[in-house]
Amino acid sequence: MPDAPRSDDPALIAHLHADLVAAAFTVDGVTDLVGEQAMSAWSRDQAVPARRALQRRSRELGSASGRAGDAHESEPCHTEVSHDPAGHNDAALITLAAFFLLGDPVSAAALDAALPSVGARGLERLGLVEAGTSTELRSAVDLRPYATDSSAELYVASDLGAFQRPGVLRHDHVLGIGGASLTLVQSTPRRPVDTALDLGTGCGIQTFHLLAHARHVTATDISDRALATARFNLILNAEALDVDPWDLSARVSLERGSLLEPVVGRRFDMVVSNPPFVITPRSPQEHAEDRFTYRDGGLPGDRLVRELLGALPSVLNPGATAHLLANWEIPRDPHEEPSATWSRGPSSWVPQGTGVWIVQRELQDPCEYAETWLRDASQQRDVADYERAYAAYLDDFDSRDVAAVGFGMVWLYRPQESDAQDTAPRIFETIPHAIQQPIAPALAAEWDRVLSMASDEASDEARDAHDPGATSDTVPAWLARHYTVAQDVTEERHGTPGAPDPALILLRQGAGLRRSVILSSEAAGFAGVCDGELSAGQILTALGSLLEWQDGPAPQLLREIKRLITHGFLVEV
């Protein structure tokens, strides 16, 4: 594939991996070299601190060998340092960081020394070098170390970003590891599955994580360059990912096509996707090659997300889940704010009978949204084009009377065939504050509790329907269980000084989704007694005697307690 890393020489790629490891080109190695602050800035696409740190270390090594560099701090590294035995590791690491992470020019001699098995000519053979001068070369890719949530450390190639190259991004840009992809990684549960689908794989980041718990992964993309990059990355990390570089298809299938087209008629145990959901103004004059394919699916408004949410259940096996990120437009309502109406669209797109949990993380007005994605492609570097594109965004949103755009995490679930009908949970909530990362374990645990509660309620309803007289002698299943307050939960009481009772009682979670809930005094009393000794039903009986209930606990109190259980404030013992 032209202008993409080549993967037709697995042996040479294996040598590259060995050279990178030998040079300590790792997350810790680079961080130790440039410092925490520079790494933090670099993660925000700010290269100056890291470049200054590399120049400083380069001069130190040069001075130690009597050949100090004299590069000005505002210029690229032009790494030329000694490669004596004492300074070899730092010299190689400086070269690789400058070349692959900052996109700075580096001499062929420095690359030969940093990568002794591959050298500059090997990088050219793999398509990792741009044409340069006779003495200096530039990297054609961003190649960075990446520490996974397992013990493996990987190397991930993608296209150079806006901070590494001037100008607007190419339209077939292959996105690397960014905030959105990491959000999806952190929100995807890692349960063992037989088959998984990575829809819109890009550089392959989601596939790498899926391979840790899926026997086989199918990775699709509409971009040939993206698939070529993903294939290179798989071979580069073959040992860590437990794939055979000479027989990738045994564990990974790379398939070209738009959205679900390549997998029509097939089903999977898990689907993950960071789809091209970005809402983009359409034009009668546009051509497919004018789109930023990594983010623009070519459909008007949020139609791509709408169609994807409607179709995904068809590729899920019973009991399977899908995990994705998405945007959705929120039409203007003269009577309610977008924060109150945002779920109307998404709730209507997911077929009935499918479980759905959508957590809205952000809400932007049309201006904020346009600015976000114009900056993403560095379109502000062309002022005239930026203003035209900005106006087109606002005209496009006005044409559909869009008040705001939501962004969040989507969890879909296809019920097991044994599940009771019409019990698939449908949850829509907004959580804009900071949450624990990775959040996937907390999401998976809560989803299991929600399913358990729904199953219990369905069983209770079926029992009552079969034998109405039994309701006087039996209680809901959850009331027979014992609970205690989760260790991360704290209580707050607010009130007027001197008042005998608090005006407000809050429970807060210190982990997971870090929810806060306002409790009635009865629910607070119930939670305060939960120490695992008594069942929920026994506690309610005691409260009823104390408060002199005539007809048992109020339905509102039961709903409060069930929310505390499903949200993890109270945990079963």
Side-chain angles (χ1 to χ4, degrees):
M1 179 67 207
D3 299 324
R6 296 184 60 175
S7 54
D8 55 348
D9 191 342
L12 183 59
I13 295 175
H15 287 308
L16 173 61
H17 186 277
D19 282 348
L20 295 172
V21 172
F25 188 55
T26 63
V27 173
D28 288 343
V30 175
T31 302
D32 290 343
L33 183 68
V34 303
E36 293 281 357
Q37 289 185 355
M39 283 296 287
S40 179
W42 179 65
S43 70
R44 300 189 300 272
D45 293 346
Q46 299 297 322
V48 173
R51 182 172 288 122
R52 291 179 74 251
L54 293 184
Q55 290 164 346
R56 183 165 53 250
R57 184 61 183 138
S58 177
R59 285 195 297 269
E60 291 171 358
L61 288 178
S63 297
S65 64
R67 295 165 53 188
D70 59 358
H72 190 277
E73 289 193 349
S74 64
E75 297 298 322
C77 255
H78 298 283
T79 304
E80 295 295 341
V81 297
S82 66
H83 300 286
D84 59 283
H88 173 75
N89 283 343
D90 274 2
L93 190 53
I94 291 170
T95 296
L96 297 177
F99 186 69
F100 285 128
L101 301 183
L102 301 181
D104 287 346
V106 171
S107 72
L111 289 171
D112 289 340
L115 302 169
S117 301
V118 176
R121 297 191 67 176
L123 293 180
E124 291 175 355
R125 169 75 180 82
L126 295 173
L128 304 182
V129 173
E130 289 184 351
T133 67
S134 59
T135 59
E136 289 188 328
L137 300 173
R138 285 185 180 270
S139 177
V141 299
D142 175 309
L143 180 63
R144 67 179 68 187
Y146 170 63
T148 69
D149 52 2
S150 66
S151 60
E153 183 149 346
L154 308 178
Y155 295 104
V156 181
S158 62
D159 278 344
L160 293 158
F163 79 106
Q164 298 158 314
R165 280 291 180 271
V168 176
L169 298 181
R170 58 186 297 163
H171 287 84
D172 57 354
H173 179 78
V174 179
L175 195 63
I177 303 169
S181 59
L182 290 179
T183 295
L184 184 56
V185 164
Q186 293 168 330
S187 61
T188 300
R190 301 300 164 192
R191 59 184 176 85
V193 296
D194 187 50
T195 58
L197 170 64
D198 177 7
L199 190 66
T201 190
C203 70
I205 184 66
Q206 305 303 326
T207 288
F208 307 153
H209 285 271
L210 285 170
L211 284 168
H213 60 103
R215 181 192 60 80
H216 189 276
V217 178
T218 299
T220 70
D221 207 290
I222 198 172
S223 166
D224 287 325
R225 292 189 68 250
L227 291 172
T229 302
R231 188 175 195 276
F232 174 85
N233 285 330
L234 287 164
I235 294 176
L236 181 61
N237 299 287
E239 183 176 357
L241 298 175
D242 191 25
V243 299
D244 182 349
W246 302 95
D247 185 19
L248 280 184
S249 62
R251 292 207 64 206
V252 184
S253 297
L254 297 169
E255 304 186 20
R256 186 183 186 280
S258 177
L259 299 177
L260 295 174
E261 288 177 0
V263 296
V264 171
R266 295 156 61 184
R267 289 185 177 180
F268 302 87
D269 301 318
M270 178 176 285
V271 177
V272 299
S273 182
N274 184 13
F277 58 72
V278 177
I279 299 166
T280 306
R282 304 266 67 96
S283 166
Q285 294 78 35
E286 74 177 51
H287 301 284
E289 58 270 21
D290 296 330
R291 301 175 190 141
F292 293 106
T293 54
Y294 71 94
R295 70 180 204 189
D296 178 7
L299 298 177
D302 55 18
R303 181 176 159 188
L304 182 141
V305 171
R306 186 187 326 159
E307 294 183 356
L308 188 58
L309 293 186
L312 271 174
S314 68
V315 301
L316 296 178
N317 282 320
T321 56
H323 311 272
L324 61 151
L325 305 179
N327 273 162
W328 40 83
E329 293 183 335
I330 306 171
R332 195 175 312 280
D333 186 305
H335 307 293
E336 294 186 89
E337 293 297 316
S339 59
T341 64
W342 70 268
S343 64
R344 292 176 182 171
S347 66
S348 68
W349 304 336
V350 179
Q352 290 298 315
T354 300
V356 55
W357 184 9
I358 299 183
V359 179
Q360 180 170 261
R361 298 285 289 144
E362 190 174 357
L363 194 66
Q364 290 185 317
D365 67 40
C367 296
E368 292 172 319
Y369 190 86
E371 293 160 13
T372 295
W373 294 107
L374 290 171
R375 284 194 306 269
D376 176 77
S378 298
Q379 288 177 265
Q380 74 274 17
R381 294 178 175 179
D382 183 331
V383 176
D385 177 66
Y386 177 83
E387 292 186 354
R388 284 193 298 270
Y390 199 145
Y393 260 107
L394 299 186
D395 289 342
D396 185 54
F397 284 131
D398 284 346
S399 70
R400 293 184 297 277
D401 201 22
V402 174
V405 180
F407 167 82
M409 306 178 297
V410 179
W411 179 307
L412 300 179
Y413 168 75
R414 180 171 181 174
Q416 298 276 7
E417 293 177 352
S418 59
D419 289 345
Q421 294 296 314
D422 300 324
T423 61
R426 297 176 70 86
I427 306 167
F428 303 87
E429 59 182 324
T430 297
I431 302 180
H433 55 257
I435 58 179
Q436 182 185 23
Q437 295 294 357
I439 191 60
L443 294 177
E446 178 157 335
W447 185 252
D448 287 343
R449 291 191 297 268
V450 168
L451 290 181
S452 177
M453 184 67 76
S455 177
D456 285 348
E457 291 178 343
S459 297
D460 292 338
E461 290 176 3
R463 179 202 63 208
D464 295 345
H466 181 263
D467 185 6
T471 58
S472 60
D473 300 317
T474 57
V475 296
W478 68 269
L479 283 174
R481 300 191 179 109
H482 296 239
Y483 302 92
T484 187
V485 178
Q487 292 184 347
D488 65 306
V489 172
T490 56
E491 182 183 270
E492 295 180 14
R493 292 178 177 248
H494 301 263
T496 305
D501 298 308
L504 186 68
I505 304 174
L506 290 173
L507 289 190
R508 295 189 186 276
Q509 290 175 319
L513 290 168
R514 294 175 176 156
R515 290 188 177 91
S516 297
V517 295
I518 300 174
L519 296 184
S520 65
S521 58
E522 290 87 351
F526 177 92
V529 180
C530 284
D531 59 4
E533 292 295 325
L534 301 176
S535 70
Q538 289 170 326
I539 295 174
L540 284 174
T541 298
L543 278 178
S545 298
L546 180 66
L547 300 176
E548 299 181 346
W549 292 337
Q550 298 298 315
D551 300 311
Q556 173 60 29
L557 174 59
L558 297 180
R559 286 193 292 269
E560 282 188 86
I561 297 172
K562 285 193 286 186
R563 281 197 295 269
L564 292 178
I565 294 170
T566 56
H567 289 337
F569 288 87
L570 301 177
V571 294
E572 186 177 350
V573 295

